[in-house]
Amino acid sequence: MTSDPYDVIAIGAGPFNLGLAALADGLDLRVAVLDSRPEFTWHRGLMFDDAMLQVSFLADLVSLVEPAHRLSFLSYLRDSDRLYQFYVREQFHPTRREYESYLRWCAAQLDSLHFGREVTSVEWSGSVFKVVAGGEVFEARHLVLGVGTEPAVPAALADLPAERLLHSADYLYRRDELLRAGRVTVVGSGQSGAECALDLLRADGPAVSWLTRTASFAPLDYSKLVLEMTTPSYVDYFHALDEPVRDRLVKEQWRHYKGISSETLDQIHDLLYSRERSAELQCGVAVTAAVEGPDGVELTLRHTDSGRTFQHVCDVVVAATGYRNRALEFLGDSVESLVQRDAAGRWVINRDHSVGGLAKLFVSNADLHSHGVAAPDLGIGAVRNATILNAVAGREVFRLQKSTAFTSFAQPA
């Protein structure tokens, strides 16, 4: 056990807690980030060669708070002798591979990261958190939970055998298997589903079906003034709303973070136009049941507009059905006693991302219900982390912009 408590222990080393470690580097704070994995990786199962990040390079770990920081994306480009090539390329969006390479470059320079440390228990003593990880006990005055999400498979598909079903998060790990299948069905129409469908169509191997329960294969709403709803100014407005209003808005605003890039949709349409073999695209259908039969997987689909059901048969299902927050089974009752819950049983999360009244426990990217559509956006990560570190330090270590949008969201005074 360490002799002095850490100021902050962050659990989970995804991009958001990696950004916390980056911003804290050089501050007079003792920070440790614990992660069960042996090393940093990011979305390896969907790392297509030409996949683009859906946000600007400025949505790195630090730039929207400290643009001159040594761990900015531009610093990475300079260090890897790619700065002029990026300049000549004239695109603000890096490839997804390049962004992961940037994240790994940052991780290699941070001594506060501790991989191979699976957290098994967290308790609150009344003055510090006691964290058991890898058989060792750590103490911290503040705790940041950033364990991220895990693949979610709907109940209607969950009972299919493993050889008949995979989540899109594992797509590239099982791609060869899919290309040998006769009929592959992709269920779900977010960016992941679109990229899986595009790759299967390009391969020109199996017969491809692409199904979604949404009314259309909808593009991301990426217009400039709509993007202002991912800024801190909108988060301020959203957080102050009543819980039922926030819940309604989250449901209505799904296209801000669950849609498909227009470029990907254009590529799919061009490919369908040039293909000799047709593919089946069906929107407005929900999977209500799935069984393995003698002819493969039989899906029962309900057509939303007519209410009627029909059958669909394939060999393998790719469930591009999103992610859910990971269960926090390591939290003891003493930690649970610190939190409040809303009417839906979710944690009540304060504007500074703390939970409860002590301002000791913080969460990262588990606050869609309280902070709105910006929560999963990489562009809010640096600001969220700066807000947390300001709260931990008890002063404004990082100066944050007071106004970040041209749009006024609240009713005029």
Side-chain angles (χ1 to χ4, degrees):
M1 184 168 64
T2 57
S3 56
D4 296 317
Y6 284 92
D7 294 297
V8 181
I9 284 180
I11 301 176
F16 291 125
N17 273 350
L18 184 60
L20 182 82
L23 278 181
D25 188 51
L27 299 182
D28 187 23
L29 292 173
R30 292 187 69 229
V31 176
V33 181
L34 310 178
D35 194 283
S36 60
R37 298 171 298 171
E39 62 177 350
F40 181 88
T41 58
W42 187 63
H43 292 313
R44 287 285 175 86
L46 284 168
M47 199 63 70
F48 297 102
D49 288 338
D50 59 349
M52 302 293 293
L53 200 67
Q54 291 179 283
V55 291
S56 160
F57 72 91
L58 289 173
D60 62 16
L61 301 183
V62 294
S63 287
L64 288 172
V65 171
E66 291 287 338
H69 197 283
R70 72 177 187 90
L71 295 179
S72 70
F73 184 77
L74 291 180
S75 295
Y76 156 76
L77 290 175
R78 181 184 61 185
D79 190 63
S80 56
D81 291 333
R82 292 169 58 86
L83 188 56
Y84 253 88
Q85 289 89 333
F86 187 79
Y87 160 68
V88 172
R89 182 171 172 260
E90 291 190 333
Q91 292 191 37
F92 271 15
H93 292 199
T95 66
R96 201 178 293 157
R97 284 187 181 276
E98 186 175 34
Y99 194 76
E100 193 210 23
S101 179
Y102 157 70
L103 296 176
R104 287 173 63 84
W105 174 82
C106 290
Q109 300 183 63
L110 293 167
D111 295 333
S112 57
L113 304 181
H114 302 274
F115 291 99
R117 300 293 183 92
E118 181 177 0
V119 174
T120 55
S121 172
V122 178
E123 296 289 351
W124 169 247
S125 72
S127 58
V128 295
F129 293 97
K130 293 183 179 292
V131 181
V132 179
E136 189 175 355
V137 180
F138 300 82
E139 291 186 348
R141 298 182 182 91
H142 302 85
L143 187 71
V144 180
L145 298 173
V147 296
T149 57
E150 61 186 7
V153 175
L157 294 172
D159 290 335
L160 288 176
E163 64 270 17
R164 297 289 193 180
L165 173 70
L166 67 145
H167 192 273
S168 56
D170 295 323
Y171 178 86
L172 289 178
Y173 299 127
R174 296 179 60 182
R175 182 176 185 269
D176 291 344
E177 172 189 339
L178 290 173
L179 297 186
R180 292 192 298 267
R183 300 159 297 178
V184 177
T185 296
V186 179
V187 177
S189 63
Q191 183 68 21
S192 297
E195 290 179 357
C196 293
L198 176 60
D199 184 69
L200 290 166
L201 291 170
R202 282 175 171 166
D204 202 25
V208 179
S209 299
W210 187 19
L211 314 176
T212 179
R213 63 182 179 180
T214 58
S216 65
F217 295 98
L220 279 168
D221 197 338
Y222 216 68
S223 54
K224 296 296 187 291
L225 293 179
V226 166
L227 282 178
E228 293 202 331
M229 298 173 76
T230 63
T231 64
S233 290
Y234 185 74
V235 174
D236 289 339
Y237 165 73
F238 184 92
H239 189 270
L241 295 172
D242 293 336
E243 180 187 329
V245 178
R246 294 199 304 258
D247 288 346
R248 174 177 60 80
L249 288 175
V250 167
K251 291 179 181 178
E252 293 174 355
Q253 294 169 354
W254 64 271
R255 277 188 57 195
H256 302 341
Y257 62 102
K258 287 186 177 180
I260 307 165
S261 75
S262 296
E263 292 79 9
T264 304
L265 287 172
D266 289 346
Q267 289 174 334
I268 289 173
H269 192 273
D270 288 345
L271 197 56
L272 290 171
Y273 184 78
S274 63
R275 264 172 68 101
E276 293 183 2
R277 295 173 59 191
S278 63
E280 177 187 10
L281 275 67
Q282 181 80 53
C283 58
V285 295
V287 179
T288 60
V291 295
E292 183 182 26
D295 194 35
V297 175
E298 184 174 289
L299 302 179
T300 301
L301 306 178
R302 181 176 59 82
H303 188 258
T304 303
D305 292 338
S306 68
R308 296 172 182 167
T309 61
F310 62 100
Q311 307 305 118
H312 171 88
V313 178
C314 63
D315 295 304
V316 184
V317 177
V318 178
T321 46
Y323 298 80
R324 57 173 172 256
N325 291 330
R326 293 186 190 276
L328 302 175
E329 296 176 351
F330 51 78
L331 293 184
D333 293 340
S334 59
V335 180
E336 284 285 345
S337 68
L338 298 177
V339 309
Q340 294 178 314
R341 296 186 180 272
D342 64 17
R346 302 164 299 197
W347 284 5
V348 175
I349 303 174
N350 303 318
R351 177 61 187 88
D352 66 357
H353 308 284
S354 64
V355 181
L358 290 177
K360 297 287 188 181
L361 175 65
F362 299 85
V363 295
S364 182
N365 193 22
D367 48 6
L368 179 66
H369 65 286
S370 59
H371 288 63
V373 295
D377 195 285
L378 290 173
I380 206 67
V383 175
R384 179 198 283 125
N385 287 328
T387 302
I388 291 172
L389 290 171
N390 284 349
V392 168
R395 59 187 178 87
E396 191 180 53
V397 178
F398 299 101
R399 185 184 69 83
L400 300 177
Q401 285 185 239
K402 299 300 185 287
S403 176
T404 56
F406 294 117
T407 307
S408 297
F409 302 104
Q411 178 181 335

